Amino acid sequence: MAGEALARLAEERVDHRFKGLPPDADGLTVGELAAERRNLFTGGFTTPVLALSAEHLEHNLRLMARYTTRHGLAFAPHGKTSMAPQLFQRQVERGAWGITLAVPHQVRVARAFGVARVFLANELVDPVALRWIAAELAADPDFRFVCYVDSVRGVEQMAAALDGAARPVDVVVELAAGDGARTGVRTEAECAAVADAVAATPSLRLVGVAGYEGEVPRADPERVRAWLRRLVALAADFDRAGRFEGLDEIVVSAGGSAWFDAVADVFAEVPDLSAPVLKLLRSGAYVSHDDGHYRELTPFARVPEEGALEPAFRLWAQVVSRPSAEQAFANAGKRDAAYDLDLPVAQVVRRDKVVRPAAGIEVTALSDQHAWLRTAPEAELEVGDWLGLGLSHPCTSFDKWQLIPVAEADGTVVEYIRTFF
């Protein structure tokens, strides 16, 4: 990755654009503020403020790197989760093949920070974006780009936009996870028709098959593994038909954050094909994990001997109103916390440098800038207390904060993660 571009992030000036940061830090560079190693609770930060645990973040990065190596998987973590080039760099440093993304804007961010391999887990028919991709490929022989195709019409639109491109764009046929699922080709016969359309297009090159098992209807281990075996069989069928002739590598890719154990199991069954197979896993939410949606869904919960991810996010809000013994309000709401899957979870209360469990405190709703709290008789909560909230769904946590403090267990902030949504 481009070290110069990453280094420039530390030169950005701190100001009103960044929520929760100390007002008296205005005018400092991010690097200068980090060097001060301020404390999250006593260093002038204002509430609400989102923080990442330095220890948990490092643990999760190392755990997933070990997991993918142990199971013989290449890894392209889904960068849309964080859109944080500093985290992209750490993932690549720990052996990631590249970064998975979803839309052209995200690819532009990744390329601005020197990401050399991008897997776009989406169809791409925008002619402006396609011509930009073609220019990137022409300018950088080391740039590898792969994206989905799932229709003959889509292939035709790509071909029209890429006419005359210096390098073909690599594509994989996306197999749908089932009827009523999201994108992807519904039947193997239709997959073959899409592959034939790619073969007839000089500006495209078929390099494999892919899909997303998280969209399998009524997903359970048996249904997910059955779909993954369909995906592997499709790759084998394409190979027998000569569709991968001349490739140095065949891509077979799947893997969200809920079923990567099934991906590892089934991809271990991939037969020998005419070229080495890149078994590409794309899980991304692991980097911060969460306290809601993925807490029970993660494969590590099903296979505990593999290890355990640690929730790395905590949103600190302040109690601003205590209108009754049964109710309180904190100053964080929908603008600050993920709420699309699960509400935040009250975890700890901090008062006078003492932190204790948030017993008897429940988040029942979010307004734009308020968390509604139900308080049981045992709840010890006063106006001015800091309330630490666990969050669900990392994908909609990172996108609300442009500059996120990374704090050690004692509250010392050691760095700041910049996001680009």
Side-chain angles (χ1 to χ4, degrees):
M1 293 181 64
E4 301 85 359
L6 287 166
R8 283 196 295 273
L9 292 177
E11 299 170 3
E12 191 167 14
R13 295 287 173 182
V14 174
D15 58 24
H16 59 276
R17 292 170 296 163
F18 304 121
K19 299 192 294 185
L21 298 193
D24 67 353
D26 276 14
L28 295 177
T29 68
V30 173
E32 289 167 344
L33 180 58
E36 291 185 355
R37 295 177 64 87
R38 296 196 186 197
N39 188 277
L40 186 68
F41 308 108
T42 61
F45 292 84
T46 64
T47 58
V49 59
L50 181 69
L52 278 165
S53 161
E55 295 86 357
H56 291 182
L57 182 62
E58 179 63 21
H59 168 82
N60 292 344
L61 288 165
R62 289 185 181 277
L63 179 66
M64 202 64 178
R66 290 196 300 268
Y67 181 90
T68 53
T69 299
R70 184 162 57 247
H71 289 278
L73 299 169
F75 191 32
H78 216 317
K80 72 168 177 65
T81 300
S82 69
M83 284 308 297
Q86 293 148 290
L87 297 182
F88 296 172
Q89 180 191 34
R90 294 185 191 181
Q91 290 166 319
V92 170
E93 287 174 346
R94 285 161 179 78
W97 171 91
I99 299 296
T100 296
L101 297 164
V103 292
H105 155 70
Q106 296 168 357
V107 183
R108 290 189 63 200
V109 171
R111 288 299 290 161
F113 288 90
V115 174
R117 292 172 177 161
V118 170
F119 187 99
L120 188 74
N122 206 346
E123 284 70 28
L124 179 57
V125 296
D126 184 327
V128 174
L130 283 164
R131 287 192 288 268
W132 177 80
I133 292 290
E136 288 288 296
L137 289 167
D140 183 356
D142 294 325
F143 178 36
R144 179 85 193 274
F145 176 84
V146 182
C147 72
Y148 283 175
V149 289
D150 80 343
S151 68
V152 172
R153 170 66 172 162
V155 169
E156 291 171 346
Q157 290 186 312
M158 293 180 77
L162 293 167
D163 186 40
R167 286 173 60 189
V169 169
D170 288 346
V171 298
V172 289
V173 172
E174 183 195 5
L175 177 67
D179 292 337
R182 203 163 57 188
T183 55
V185 186
R186 265 42 182 179
T187 69
E188 280 74 2
E190 291 172 301
C191 286
V194 174
D196 286 341
V198 171
T201 303
S203 56
L204 298 176
R205 182 176 71 152
L206 181 67
V207 298
V209 298
Y212 174 45
E213 75 290 340
E215 282 290 309
V216 170
R218 303 180 307 282
D220 60 25
E222 291 72 27
R223 288 188 177 94
V224 168
R225 283 175 170 80
W227 177 81
L228 287 163
R229 291 190 174 99
R230 276 186 67 198
L231 183 69
V232 169
L234 180 64
D237 289 345
F238 276 12
D239 194 49
R240 280 191 295 271
R243 299 187 188 280
F244 299 138
E245 185 177 354
L247 293 182
D248 296 326
E249 180 179 76
I250 297 167
V251 178
V252 180
S253 180
S257 294
W259 296 103
F260 57 78
D261 55 337
V263 175
D265 291 345
V266 175
F267 279 14
E269 304 168 2
V270 173
D272 289 339
L273 301 181
S274 61
V277 178
L278 184 74
K279 304 172 185 178
L280 193 61
L281 183 71
R282 306 193 307 268
S283 310
Y286 82 96
V287 69
S288 61
H289 195 43
D290 71 3
D291 282 292
H293 180 68
Y294 288 110
R295 182 174 51 199
E296 303 300 331
L297 286 177
T298 173
F300 291 115
R302 294 190 292 272
V303 193
E305 59 269 25
E306 294 272 18
L309 294 167
E310 299 287 350
F313 271 135
R314 180 164 282 172
L315 177 63
W316 289 96
Q318 200 163 16
V319 177
V320 294
S321 180
R322 190 81 160 95
S324 72
E326 297 79 29
Q327 194 175 43
F329 292 86
N331 64 344
K334 293 179 180 179
R335 299 291 177 261
D336 314 297
Y339 61 93
D340 56 322
L341 296 178
D342 298 299
L343 288 172
V345 178
Q347 294 179 327
V348 294
V349 175
R350 190 177 193 277
R351 183 193 306 163
D352 298 328
K353 299 183 181 181
V354 176
V355 179
R356 63 180 186 278
I361 303 170
E362 180 187 3
V363 179
T364 59
L366 293 178
S367 298
D368 283 352
Q369 296 295 174
H370 288 93
W372 294 60
L373 307 176
R374 179 186 296 131
T375 53
E378 69 270 23
E380 296 183 30
L381 199 65
E382 296 180 358
V383 170
D385 288 350
W386 281 44
L387 181 65
L389 301 170
L391 301 179
S392 174
H393 202 190
C395 296
T396 51
S397 297
F398 277 102
D399 67 351
K400 301 179 188 304
W401 297 83
Q402 291 182 297
L403 197 60
I404 304 173
V406 179
E408 294 178 338
D410 66 356
T412 301
V413 176
V414 294
E415 66 175 314
Y416 297 82
I417 298 297
R418 183 71 157 94
T419 65
F420 293 85
F421 282 94

